Amino acid sequence: MKLLVFAGSTRQNSFNRRLAFATAALARAAGADVTHIELGDFNIPMYNADLEAAGTPPDVIRLKQVMADHPAWIICTPEYNASYPALLKSTLDWVSSPVKGHPEWTDGMKSSRGKVVGVLSASPGALGGLRSQSHLAPLLINLECWLAPKNFALGRAGDAFDSEGALKDERARHSVQAVIDQVIWAAARLQPA
């Protein structure tokens, strides 16, 4: 199963980037074909319809293809003011926007339709970014994704990772693995025959 893992952050010491790294490692160890991307590796401006009218950036097309190629996703979302960050919203807005006149991407939902998505979050607080997940869920459903019922919010994330980037706590690893397993299980069953 091809699994895409990414964090909605480009901050150098982001807990969610660390969580995405640890998640990708756990998924690989479980046998998944994992693509772990960093949003900072894509030259994509904040979404703006005027920019889009001038021409969709090439890296948006590249990201659309990456997302379309993976039937299963895991998104690690930060929490800013009890919601997900602008970077993640902007990224999903670009990816879901149709590209006028393009032979492949006139359907804005082509990259997201039918994808099974697991949501994780991490924060230094006790709730672990859980509120951001509740705001992200309706957006993913609007993008015609299947949202995995299992999720996990990693609280007190400043102490959660070892020097190699792995999760120290066995319960946290088990919780992340449960999300991975459910996403892969569901994506395998929802793939068109």
Side-chain angles (χ1 to χ4, degrees), residues 1-183:
M1 175 56 60
K2 292 181 74 172
L3 174 66
L4 177 66
V5 178
F6 65 97
S9 178
T10 55
R11 190 172 64 86
Q12 184 174 355
N13 293 316
S14 163
F15 295 132
N16 284 279
R17 286 182 63 215
R18 290 183 192 179
L19 183 56
F21 175 85
T23 300
L26 286 169
R28 282 189 192 101
D33 179 5
V34 179
T35 302
H36 176 200
I37 61 170
E38 294 281 356
L39 294 183
D41 291 339
F42 294 82
N43 185 15
I44 299 176
M46 293 300 284
Y47 180 79
N48 177 316
D50 292 339
L51 289 175
E52 184 179 39
T56 299
D59 271 8
V60 170
I61 302 295
R62 185 166 68 102
L63 185 57
K64 281 177 174 285
Q65 188 64 59
V66 168
M67 290 183 158
D69 288 344
H70 293 79
W73 305 350
I74 293 182
I75 301 173
C76 300
T77 179
E79 181 177 286
Y80 294 175
N81 293 315
S83 191
Y84 53 87
L87 171 67
L88 185 53
K89 177 69 162 72
S90 179
T91 299
L92 294 173
D93 287 344
W94 273 116
V95 166
S96 63
S97 187
V99 182
K100 291 179 185 173
H102 194 284
E104 194 170 356
W105 300 110
T106 55
D107 176 359
M109 298 299 177
K110 181 179 177 181
S111 295
S112 58
R113 183 182 294 112
K115 306 305 179 184
V116 176
V117 183
V119 179
L120 305 174
S121 59
S123 83
L127 294 179
L130 191 60
R131 294 173 298 182
S132 67
Q133 295 185 24
S134 67
H135 286 198
L136 184 57
L139 172 58
L140 293 170
I141 291 168
N142 191 63
L143 297 180
E144 300 182 21
C145 296
W146 294 96
L147 191 60
K150 284 195 183 293
N151 62 353
F152 176 62
L154 178 67
R156 297 178 179 83
D159 299 319
F161 302 95
D162 66 20
S163 61
E164 301 297 315
L167 288 163
K168 291 193 268 189
D169 183 69
E170 184 178 349
R171 287 174 298 179
R173 287 193 305 272
H174 183 270
S175 295
V176 170
Q177 189 66 56
V179 174
I180 293 166
D181 293 346
Q182 188 174 71
V183 167

